């Protein structure tokens, strides 16, 4: 995993060199994906120096993906924002953790089984929905499969995010028959862009990385298992969309008739069953 962090630092230096040559504009924000660091840069001097050097090299805010130490010998799967001249300024911890991946339900009973032994500790879910302030950009961070949950994205938009970021690591899901998960995440990101009128930047360790406009169109992208960087001018947006304003009500209204129909069907089935088993009697004169 240390090589992964070094790869991101190397690509950031390549971007800084391109800026100095005038090939691309200096970005307002630089994004690394989920698990771009396998530890806490505040506790690991080597990782801390690597990130600080990358921020200094480019002189731009940098959002990293790191495992930050948490109380009780646990950790947060987090996006941490570093600012030039300041270091780590704010962070977002993933709230929707993956069962049997980031924590083990009933660990005392199941924790010793097979591959579950490879998960030595449970991660701690975050609670904050506040955007990360990076100058003129207010980042709404959504980590990995949180993009699939309406309320996780809606919360950060309502809190004032003007750009959505998806930090993800698709290495486990891009091999053999499991390939294709990162394309699904890109499709979800496009839907969220349209729903909330926000551009979405998708940064992946090994899957698809992309920048999506507020209309859902992919502005630029990198395919799976490819190193590189993307530089695009993405619009910032504020205000509420119809989707954000309505919230879950369209789903409730569309789902209600199906639930009512199911309930009526079950009720009729119970009545038919009861009638079929009613004892009959006969009388003779």
């Amino acid at each position: 995993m240390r090589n992964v962090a070094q790869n991101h630092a190397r690509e950031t230096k390549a971007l800084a060199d391109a800026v100095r040559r005038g090939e691309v504009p200096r970005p307002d924000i630089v994004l690394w994906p989920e698990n771009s660091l396998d530890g806490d840069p505040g506790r690991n001097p080597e990782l801390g120096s690597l990130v600080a050097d990358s921020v200094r090299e480019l002189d731009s805010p940098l959002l990293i993906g790191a495992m930050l130490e948490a109380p009780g010998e646990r950790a947060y799967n987090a996006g941490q924002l570093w600012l030039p001249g300041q270091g780590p300024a704010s962070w977002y911890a993933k709230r929707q953790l993956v069962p049997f991946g980031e924590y083990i339900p009933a660990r005392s009973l199941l924790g010793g089984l097979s591959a579950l032994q490879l998960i030595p500790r449970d991660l701690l879910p975050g609670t904050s929905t506040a955007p990360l302030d990076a100058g003129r950009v207010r980042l709404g961070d959504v980590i990995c499969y949180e993009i699939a949950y309406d309320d996780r994205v809606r919360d950060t938009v309502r809190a004032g995010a003007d750009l959505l970021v998806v930090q993800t690591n698709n290495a486990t899901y891009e091999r053999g028959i499991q390939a294709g998960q990162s394309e699904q995440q890109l499709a979800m990101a496009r839907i969220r862009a349209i729903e909330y009128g926000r551009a979405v930047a998708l940064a992946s360790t090994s899957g698809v990385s992309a920048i999506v406009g507020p209309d859902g169109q992919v502005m630029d992208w990198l395919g799976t298992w490819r190193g590189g960087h993307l530089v695009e001018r993405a619009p910032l947006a504020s205000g509420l969309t119809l989707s954000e304003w309505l919230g879950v009500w369209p789903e409730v209204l569309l789902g209600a008739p199906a639930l009512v129909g199911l309930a009526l069907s079950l009720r009729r089935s119970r009545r038919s069953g009861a009638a079929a088993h009613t004892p009959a009697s006969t009388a003779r004169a």
Side-chain angles (χ1 to χ4, degrees):
M1 285 296 291
R2 191 61 47 85
N3 290 337
V4 174
Q6 292 170 345
N7 288 343
H8 285 91
R10 189 179 305 113
E11 193 61 43
T12 301
K13 185 180 185 308
L15 173 59
D17 291 340
V19 170
R20 284 189 284 268
R21 292 193 299 267
E23 297 172 0
V24 294
R26 185 178 305 280
D28 294 312
I29 181 70
V30 180
L31 310 173
W32 288 5
E34 178 188 23
N35 302 142
S36 46
L37 276 68
D38 64 345
D40 188 334
R43 303 288 185 90
N44 186 313
E46 183 179 352
L47 290 178
S49 295
L50 182 145
V51 177
D53 289 345
S54 296
V55 175
R56 186 164 47 250
E57 184 78 37
L58 198 53
D59 194 29
S60 293
L62 170 64
L63 180 67
I64 65 171
M67 303 300 292
L68 303 183
E69 293 297 322
E73 298 184 355
R74 299 171 75 178
Y76 295 111
N77 183 359
Q80 187 179 52
L81 181 65
W82 287 56
L83 300 178
Q86 291 184 229
S90 56
W91 55 284
Y92 166 81
K94 186 177 182 181
R95 293 176 285 154
Q96 192 76 40
L97 298 179
V98 181
F100 302 105
E102 294 173 315
Y103 73 98
I104 301 177
R107 173 177 285 275
S108 60
L109 179 64
L110 304 175
L113 298 179
S114 186
L116 295 182
Q117 298 179 54
L118 300 176
I119 307 171
R121 61 176 177 174
D122 294 338
L123 300 189
L124 194 65
T127 57
S128 176
T129 63
L132 306 177
D133 287 317
R136 59 190 294 262
V137 184
R138 304 194 74 207
L139 296 172
D141 197 6
V142 182
I143 297 179
C144 197
Y145 91 139
E146 286 187 316
I147 191 67
Y149 290 81
D150 294 352
D151 54 341
R152 295 296 179 244
V153 183
R154 187 181 300 116
D155 285 348
T156 191
V157 170
R158 285 180 172 174
D162 53 24
L163 175 68
L164 293 174
V165 175
V166 182
Q167 293 181 289
T168 187
N169 174 11
N170 305 107
T172 306
Y173 304 99
E174 287 301 331
R175 303 178 190 276
I177 62 173
Q178 297 188 91
Q181 189 254 10
S182 59
E183 282 84 358
Q184 291 178 341
Q185 281 191 329
L186 175 58
M188 293 175 189
R190 296 180 66 185
I191 291 173
R192 299 306 182 204
I194 296 170
E195 282 182 327
Y196 299 107
R198 303 294 196 273
V200 182
L202 177 67
S204 175
T205 307
S206 56
V208 172
S209 295
I211 300 175
V212 180
D215 59 356
Q217 295 300 308
V218 178
M219 303 168 69
D220 201 357
W221 75 301
L222 282 171
T224 56
W225 304 107
R226 289 182 55 195
H229 58 263
L230 304 174
V231 181
E232 285 290 339
R233 189 175 296 277
L236 305 179
S238 60
L240 304 181
T241 62
L242 180 62
S243 176
E244 194 280 333
W245 184 74
L246 290 175
V248 300
W249 283 108
E251 299 167 39
V252 172
L253 293 175
L254 289 173
L259 292 175
V260 171
L262 177 61
L264 291 176
S265 176
L266 292 174
R267 184 178 179 183
R268 283 195 296 268
S269 296
R270 285 197 298 269
R271 285 182 174 177
S272 299
H277 291 86
T278 300
S281 62
T282 60
R284 291 184 180 179

